Amino acid sequence: MTATGANAAVDWLVSAAPDPGACRRGWERNPLGVALLEAGRCWDVLIVEGRLGRPALDVLARGRDRPGPVLSDFRDARTGFFVPAGTVAHWLGTKIRGAGRGTWIVVPYPGRATGGVRWLVPPDGTGTLTDPVALELALHAAVAARDLGE
């Protein structure tokens, strides 16, 4: 990710904070390279098991539209897809957790390595989010492929 791209991504991410300037300053000084950002303002995050999330991301990546930002924890146990705000309130799915209004998530600084969470698809600063319908179809395709032993 270029410095300009990272700056645009940071600008977009901190826009979710109640005080974007304070968030940016704290984030840049944080030795762990992470920040707590409030979900539900600009985006929600749908969190699935990594063994389902990674194949679903592969399906999305083959699609026409670029997926929005996607996070993974350090062991790839969970994958988090950034989706439009309000999605979590209407999402029904087994073994899918949601971070929406009133929740906070740990987010790594774009373009920096951290020991905990990392970007599988970093934000590009444009506000691109994963389409919930496309994500649902990708999750179904990933489950079907797993069940068929592909």
Side-chain angles (χ1 to χ4, degrees):
M1 176 179 290
T2 67
T4 304
N7 288 336
V10 170
D11 289 344
W12 178 73
L13 287 165
V14 299
S15 71
D19 183 344
C23 178
R24 176 189 288 278
R25 288 186 299 278
W27 202 1
E28 289 172 348
R29 292 183 195 127
N30 185 317
L32 300 176
V34 297
L36 277 175
L37 293 177
E38 187 175 4
R41 292 175 60 123
C42 301
W43 34 259
D44 288 354
V45 181
L46 289 173
I47 304 161
V48 301
E49 295 176 356
R51 63 190 182 99
L52 178 59
R54 291 301 291 261
L57 177 56
D58 291 343
V59 171
L60 286 170
R62 290 191 304 262
R64 184 174 46 101
D65 297 322
R66 178 186 185 274
V70 181
L71 286 173
S72 180
D73 66 7
F74 71 99
R75 292 176 289 139
D76 287 335
R78 290 181 182 73
T79 305
F81 296 87
F82 281 55
V83 294
T87 299
V88 166
H90 306 288
W91 190 272
L92 299 174
T94 305
K95 296 185 179 181
I96 297 176
R97 294 179 30 214
R101 185 168 297 282
T103 61
W104 296 73
I105 62 166
V106 174
V107 179
Y109 196 94
R112 291 188 192 161
T114 67
V117 293
R118 62 191 170 88
W119 292 108
L120 297 177
V121 177
D124 61 10
T126 66
T128 299
L129 298 168
T130 298
D131 174 40
V133 173
L135 177 57
E136 182 177 10
L137 293 172
L139 290 167
H140 285 289
V143 167
R146 183 184 68 200
D147 290 348
L148 293 173
E150 293 179 6

